[in-house]
Amino acid sequence: MIRKKSCVAMLLAGGQGSRLGILTRNVAKPAVPFGGKYRIIDFPLSNCVNSGIDVVGVLTQYRPLELNAYIGSGAPWDLDLNSGGVYVLPPYHTGKTGEWYRGTANAIYQNLEFAKQYNPDYVLILSGDHIYKMDYSEMIDHHIQHKAAATIAVRQVPWEEASRFGIMNTDEDFNITEFEEKPANPKSNNASMGVYVFSFDKLYKYLEADEQDEASSNDFGNDVIPAMLSAGERMTAFTFKGYWKDVGTIESLWDANMDLLKQPPPMDLHDRKWRIYARNIGMPPHYAAKGAQVLDSLVTEGCQIEGAVTHSVLSANVTVEAGAQVIDSVIMPFARIGKGAVIRRAIIAEHAVIGANAVVGEEEGDIAVVGSNASLEAGTRVTAGQQVGE
Amino acid sequence: MIRKKSCVAMLLAGGQGSRLGILTRNVAKPAVPFGGKYRIIDFPLSNCVNSGIDVVGVLTQYRPLELNAYIGSGAPWDLDLNSGGVYVLPPYHTGKTGEWYRGTANAIYQNLEFAKQYNPDYVLILSGDHIYKMDYSEMIDHHIQHKAAATIAVRQVPWEEASRFGIMNTDEDFNITEFEEKPANPKSNNASMGVYVFSFDKLYKYLEADEQDEASSNDFGNDVIPAMLSAGERMTAFTFKGYWKDVGTIESLWDANMDLLKQPPPMDLHDRKWRIYARNIGMPPHYAAKGAQVLDSLVTEGCQIEGAVTHSVLSANVTVEAGAQVIDSVIMPFARIGKGAVIRRAIIAEHAVIGANAVVGEEEGDIAVVGSNASLEAGTRVTAGQQVGE
Amino acid sequence: MKSNIVGLIFTGDRIEDLRDLIRNRSVAALPMLGRYRLIDFLLSNMIHSGMHNIGIIMQSNYHSLMDHIGSGREWDLHGKRSGVTILPPYVSNTGGGVYDGMLDALHSNLSFLRRSSERYILVTDSYMLYRVQYDEVCARHIDTKADITLLYTKDRNVRRNGWGRYLNIDPDGIVQSMEFDPTIPHYPNTYMSAFLMRRELLIDLVDRAVAAGMHHFARELLVQLLHERMYKIAGYECPGEIWSIDSVLAYYQTNMDFLNTKVRTHVFAADRPIWTKLRDEMPARYTSTARVVNSLVADGCVIEGTVENSILFRSVAVKPGAVVRNSILMQDALINRNAEVDSCILDKQTTVREGTRIVAPRDFPIVIGKNLTI
Amino acid sequence: MKSNIVGLIFTGDRIEDLRDLIRNRSVAALPMLGRYRLIDFLLSNMIHSGMHNIGIIMQSNYHSLMDHIGSGREWDLHGKRSGVTILPPYVSNTGGGVYDGMLDALHSNLSFLRRSSERYILVTDSYMLYRVQYDEVCARHIDTKADITLLYTKDRNVRRNGWGRYLNIDPDGIVQSMEFDPTIPHYPNTYMSAFLMRRELLIDLVDRAVAAGMHHFARELLVQLLHERMYKIAGYECPGEIWSIDSVLAYYQTNMDFLNTKVRTHVFAADRPIWTKLRDEMPARYTSTARVVNSLVADGCVIEGTVENSILFRSVAVKPGAVVRNSILMQDALINRNAEVDSCILDKQTTVREGTRIVAPRDFPIVIGKNLTI
């Protein structure tokens, strides 16, 4: 049933993602809703199948329940296969003891056997908290053409921001000559996207070595990439030019949602040749009532809108009652905005209920957040930057 | 996507299963091959779907890789569903820390949220190391009719063996009055099969209490069942009359395989109304060559037989070369028995290679075992009860 | 937990009053309510009644229906033990078969009935939209010791089109007789072309009726059985609203009824979702010039103009200045700038050119055929 | 990784010399080698060439083939982005369509060709059994800058039946001409009724050829193209053995060839398994009175008698004292006590009664039709 695969993907679904605050109190980061009908993990999973990669291991150890249920058999992404598919890979016992994942490199190390089953030539390593559409097959072609041991996807960031990223310095032929984590004086503006292609034998070799090294923090960026560079392996950079956004913080998650509302949007989700797949929950079309007013927004199936919605993203099954206003906000699935409530520059998480005339968020300042299943009483005020939980 | 389910099954796939010796050195017990084309877990999974139960959580923390790959999307058992299906449930982190499963009750406790998603009335708890065909829906009907908090499946064992089992003493109406673990002087011969039905609310309540109890070993038989009995909950026994075999030891695994060769077999695998499903590996029919001699045996697709096979079970893709003899043995998938070798009262595990003229096992005594991927040189002798690894 | 009922959906009847809407599709494949096909509601009723084994009898023009059902996996009906079975019309070298009535269709598919293992069978035609629990129908069937149970409704909605079959039911719930297409019905009970009985009994009845030269299930066989009084034939009143999609106007009005939130809440009950084939469209996009009131809008739509009292299927585009009123726009319809559409049904992939006006009376909606540009 | 080739399998041709074997099935659905259908080998060739988008053109008697393919999930061809598409014959109120040649069939299914996105298309008939990597055919096609590549074989096996189409290929691999059903072929290159070209080119050629009144792809269109010399038409020699299942004897001999271990090892290469529809049978059971030599035996069989030089499909039962020699027993065949079967092909669900003897010459195997008791 297991066939040789040219390339296997390993997706680092990560830990708690504490920078997302109460949004990840009960779910793993990749399961956080995005863009109305997606969850973050839909982007790398859809990229994989659209790139022709049909084996994906999802490495996670934090509250995998919802993620597990969301991924299910893998059918929404055509990953319910006899010869491949998507697998959630937790840490496990090998005999007397088991160990939790220590770092990104250790997590992959503990699951090398998974990849090995498919006897792959290449392993693609992905993160679970980025929003982008990318054809990984182009990157793999680049890797093959350059006969590289590892290829690292980079994108050009504004020079003034370069010191916030892991920066790849390359020669004119895309060979990486140096890697600097958050350099004070960057020599280049090629920032790593956290997307790697490794030749499997090289990955195996350097992860084994990394495990032996007690000083290592078992991280790709900190340990494995530098070790390969200093050993003189051929490492190339692959430049990605499309839209890419890390959504690891409340602010950036909100930003990325707002990006979808731009005209034209910097990332086209309408493109039929590169669909982003998502699990469907079987809702009827959304209903805009007699008094509804919706402008500059995305609205998902199952919504019931009686109030005013401006420049916002409404996920599946959101209710906006009469007289309520939603402005510059992200409303996640099944949330309910009560009569006369005002939501501004806020994220309202799944199943939250906002009481009548409550006011969440302000015109300026940080994003306000109401956590999943939270219930705000009528008239409550939530100020800019405040997070209100269950 | 998640719908209410009347009953959810939780399968305790267990730990290492060390009583199976080298057979479980690299795989979890439920993934051990059985009966030519099955693995142990095929029996409870097939029983579930044949009983109309289509949500199954498989609780495991020991080397789940092969089990994960075997289960895959769940398609072989029709468990690749949007509204349910089969899920492998490992331990996980909930915040700062995670914990490994302590006992059977703790494993279920850690996954109560999984069951809760389906808002079930009943939870069926199963073990991953029993071979049997059972219609769980009859047991659940029994549970409902008796308005029980818990129902425990029992089978009658010979009185002289009763002291080796957990024994349920019942009144004439099947109500359990007492539970004794391996009693010296058994009052009944109703032995627990390790198959339980709980009303979900009761299970929830008693598992919460069990977690609070620091003295508890977090085991269903030792702790939860006695606690419920002493609290006066209505507990009933459901008598199962069919074939049932615990395959937790080398001897019993071999025995259960040999049972399939009896005429008529005590358990009918031909029954089209209660098929045992298994993942298929896509092999052509087996080939019995010109010099082959096969008697009283089961032979699976993909085999190539040139030697003599008597009273044995040959799994998929086994090769028996010319002049080799296989007697009273179980040969697991992809094993190869070399020219002139003699295999007697033995289990040869997956991908093992037996060299020419080697002799494994003896006419009497314990079962000899050759582990997976082991390679015996020509002429090697493996005596009764000996285990030879990779 | 294991269902005792096999389902069989007959998709054969051509209803001429649906005109252009069924030119290239069967009634069962009619696009409904922004993202569904009519058959989705029957399939969902069956699934939520715990039924797993469902046959669909196809006839002419079944490509779109077959494409819609696909492997059945959107309905969890793709199993090897059970699932959805497409029963296509018999095609041999001597020509393609179109059944001469439901009885013929049942007879041609007896092998499906025979190899099913469930004790009961629920057979239904496919031109009605309703929610019911067939497992409750079956429970009542067993309770009342009926031989045959016929589903009926007292909802007056279904009489819109003026034709129908009505049941004379006595106070004990037993069907005494049946009348066909009366000018004025004598009974308030509309037969829903759906019935339940033991599977073996149906096989037996069909075999005998076809041998006796019958073709029509209700008009011939049922009438004879009612006359003979050998079997106990009971009625089961379906609760709630029932829609009969038997004319262009009925199609139009049914869709429009769903602009009423109460109707939607009942039919789209959260615990019994309606599954359908997926398109993986992004959420609907409203621009700064959008104005949408009292309308249903599916994913993938891009709305820059005005939409009132309308139903927009997936990926409909309404350009700035365009006005859509009282209309049904099937998927991929494109309404260009300053066009106006009122009381129209636009079939799939229709384009309305810039500035075109097409306005119909609300009681005589105009159908614009698939792929047309007007 | 993403395949650039869409596959199209034509299952239409009726080959009269297969007689009773195709009475209720298409050639593509012929049971082969104990557990397969002929089409499985084509599907596996495509899958192992990385192809994910495959259309199957159905014609008459396609029920068993449709049932076999099902949702396509045994082949991992059940995706929503791609997978297997059943292209049934067109059935309208005016009768069922049987295509008048492959060209007609291609023309009727142009919409499938148009909505595919792959650059190349591989079209193949379905009466040959062979292993080939279509991705290598495509790579060569690109290398040689051919417009059309025709697959051919030099294996003399395929000439068993005396008919065929032969290619005249020059030393550069370019096809110069083609001959049809010669008494003695002038060229050693048998055309395998399979070709590869750009998808857009095929659409164009089919459109033009049908407009010009042609029906047959090879006999009319290919011949004309070879004559015109506007396109570069190359040959690709398929390696290995090729079987043409074009008569009862060819069917019989092909199956028997697989008793040779070398043949099996080549066709059932471990890294390219042949997938097929599953039956979930238990392993074959041998009792103490069994004697089986030089035979292929599928799961589910119960053998209590003697089997020599034979192929037993799933769930065949051979009772004590029964003798099966040189025969092919399709699934669920039952050979009762002391019966003898020699050089027979028993179709599915055949029963041979106690003591019956049926012996044929090896060069004239007898076919016993489905469901018969003899």
Side-chain angles (χ1 to χ4, degrees), chain C residues 67 71 90 201 222 281 374:
Chain C
D67 181 53
S71 67
Y90 189 74
L201 176 60
L222 265 187
E281 299 290 349
I374 57 169

Side-chain angles (χ1 to χ4, degrees), chain A residues 112-188:
Chain A
L112 279 176
E113 287 299 315
F114 169 80
K116 216 175 157 187
Q117 294 177 105
Y118 300 93
N119 188 19
D121 300 316
Y122 311 103
V123 173
L124 172 70
I125 293 180
L126 304 169
S127 294
D129 50 2
H130 299 156
I131 301 294
Y132 62 123
K133 299 196 313 185
M134 178 172 176
D135 189 341
Y136 302 132
S137 68
E138 292 175 4
M139 180 172 172
I140 295 164
D141 286 347
H142 174 99
H143 179 87
I144 295 169
Q145 277 161 23
H146 285 75
K147 297 190 173 61
T151 297
I152 298 170
V154 298
R155 64 193 186 96
Q156 295 187 337
V157 295
W159 277 96
E160 59 273 22
E161 293 181 19
S163 57
R164 287 172 40 211
F165 294 94
I167 295 295
M168 300 290 159
N169 301 321
T170 63
D171 63 19
E172 65 288 343
D173 203 27
F174 302 105
N175 292 308
I176 297 171
T177 52
E178 192 182 9
F179 169 69
E180 296 181 283
E181 187 67 39
K182 299 183 184 164
N185 299 303
K187 299 181 195 122
S188 117

Side-chain angles (χ1 to χ4, degrees), chain A residues 35-38 75-76 78 80 260-263 265 267-270 272 275-301 304-306 314, chain C residues 33-36 73 78 258-261 264 268 270 273-275 278-304 309 311-312 314-315 332:
Chain A
K37 68 184 296 181
Y38 309 99
D78 280 356
D80 53 334
L260 297 175
L261 302 176
K262 287 184 181 152
Q263 274 296 25
M267 177 174 64
D268 181 13
L269 293 177
H270 252 300
R272 299 217 168 145
R275 282 191 201 268
I276 303 301
Y277 300 96
R279 184 171 286 280
N280 192 278
I281 56 171
M283 289 297 147
H286 76 260
Y287 176 68
K290 291 209 170 78
Q293 195 190 44
V294 186
L295 297 173
D296 289 322
S297 294
L298 293 184
V299 181
T300 309
E301 286 169 347
Q304 171 91 7
I305 307 171
E306 290 159 25
L314 268 56
Chain C
L33 305 177
R35 68 190 294 256
Y36 305 98
R73 79 173 171 174
H78 58 309
F258 279 74
L259 294 178
N260 181 328
T261 295
R264 283 201 312 284
F268 296 109
I274 312 287
W275 302 107
L278 302 181
R279 289 242 306 185
D280 292 294
E281 299 290 349
M282 68 174 293
R285 172 188 292 280
Y286 288 72
T287 67
S288 55
T289 53
R291 188 176 164 274
V292 180
V293 290
N294 193 37
S295 294
L296 284 168
V297 180
D299 280 359
C301 290
V302 178
I303 302 175
E304 303 174 82
N309 311 327
I311 292 169
L312 273 54
R314 291 177 283 203
S315 296
D332 302 318

Side-chain angles (χ1 to χ4, degrees), chain D residues 197-372:
Chain D
M197 69 177 87
R198 274 191 306 107
R199 184 173 53 84
E200 297 288 351
L201 176 60
L202 181 63
I203 292 171
D204 198 47
L205 289 177
V206 166
D207 227 15
R208 280 199 290 152
V210 169
M214 296 183 186
H215 297 288
H216 297 281
F217 186 82
R219 205 174 281 275
E220 295 176 331
L221 176 57
L222 264 188
V223 164
Q224 188 188 317
L225 294 177
L226 285 166
H227 187 73
E228 286 175 359
R229 300 185 173 267
M230 301 250 301
Y231 294 102
K232 181 172 178 182
I233 303 179
Y236 181 95
E237 189 188 341
C238 270
E241 281 179 279
I242 317 278
W243 292 267
S244 176
I245 319 294
D246 47 18
S247 69
V248 169
L249 189 60
Y251 173 82
Y252 176 76
Q253 289 175 341
T254 300
N255 276 279
M256 288 299 155
D257 281 353
F258 279 75
L259 294 178
N260 181 328
T261 295
K262 252 192 221 150
V263 170
R264 283 200 312 285
T265 309
H266 168 65
V267 171
F268 296 110
D271 58 339
R272 293 179 301 164
I274 311 286
W275 302 106
T276 188
K277 190 183 179 196
L278 301 182
R279 290 243 306 185
D280 292 294
E281 301 289 350
M282 69 174 293
R285 172 187 291 280
Y286 288 71
T287 67
S288 56
T289 53
R291 189 175 164 273
V292 180
V293 290
N294 194 36
S295 294
L296 283 167
V297 180
D299 280 359
C301 289
V302 178
I303 301 175
E304 303 174 83
T306 296
V307 178
E308 291 174 10
N309 311 327
S310 293
I311 292 170
L312 273 53
F313 281 65
R314 291 179 283 203
S315 295
V316 166
V318 180
K319 295 292 179 191
V323 177
V324 174
R325 282 198 192 91
N326 310 313
S327 292
I328 299 169
L329 276 52
M330 294 191 201
Q331 67 186 35
D332 302 318
L334 165 61
I335 314 300
N336 278 305
R337 280 171 186 271
N338 304 319
E340 184 181 343
V341 168
D342 195 335
S343 303
C344 291
I345 300 169
L346 271 53
D347 210 321
K348 291 161 79 169
Q349 283 99 34
T350 312
T351 298
V352 179
R353 283 173 301 186
E354 193 169 332
T356 299
R357 279 192 73 206
I358 170 158
V359 176
R362 289 200 65 170
D363 55 355
F364 197 80
I366 289 175
V367 178
I368 309 295
K370 197 172 156 179
N371 287 320
L372 292 180

Side-chain angles (χ1 to χ4, degrees), chain D residues 140-199:
Chain D
R140 173 89 69 79
H141 178 84
I142 294 168
D143 270 5
T144 58
K145 297 193 169 61
D147 294 304
I148 303 173
T149 295
L150 307 180
L151 277 71
Y152 71 93
T153 174
K154 290 189 172 168
D155 186 350
R156 297 182 62 86
N157 264 335
V158 297
R159 299 194 183 183
R160 277 175 182 157
N161 198 37
W163 63 277
R165 291 169 286 185
Y166 301 90
L167 302 179
N168 172 12
I169 298 175
D170 72 15
D172 295 332
I174 304 304
V175 181
Q176 295 296 330
S177 63
M178 199 167 181
E179 60 176 9
F180 292 83
D181 301 344
T183 313
I184 298 158
H186 296 81
Y187 313 105
N189 316 305
T190 306
Y191 172 51
M192 289 168 63
S193 282
F195 59 85
L196 183 139
M197 69 177 87
R198 274 191 306 107
R199 184 173 53 84

Side-chain angles (χ1 to χ4, degrees), chain A residues 208-275:
Chain A
E208 287 276 4
D210 183 63
E211 274 302 302
Q212 304 304 320
D213 180 1
E214 291 197 4
S216 172
S217 61
N218 305 119
D219 183 85
F220 273 100
N222 289 335
D223 308 289
V224 179
I225 303 290
M228 290 180 77
L229 271 174
S230 69
E233 294 289 353
R234 184 185 288 245
M235 318 275 282
T236 69
F238 174 78
T239 307
F240 174 71
K241 294 225 168 75
Y243 177 87
W244 181 91
K245 191 100 182 178
D246 179 305
V247 289
T249 66
I250 298 279
E251 204 75 24
S252 63
L253 179 66
W254 179 85
D255 261 353
N257 274 285
M258 292 301 121
D259 283 347
L260 297 175
L261 302 176
K262 287 184 181 152
Q263 274 296 25
M267 177 174 64
D268 181 13
L269 293 177
H270 252 300
D271 182 3
R272 299 217 168 145
K273 293 198 179 117
W274 203 272
R275 282 191 201 268

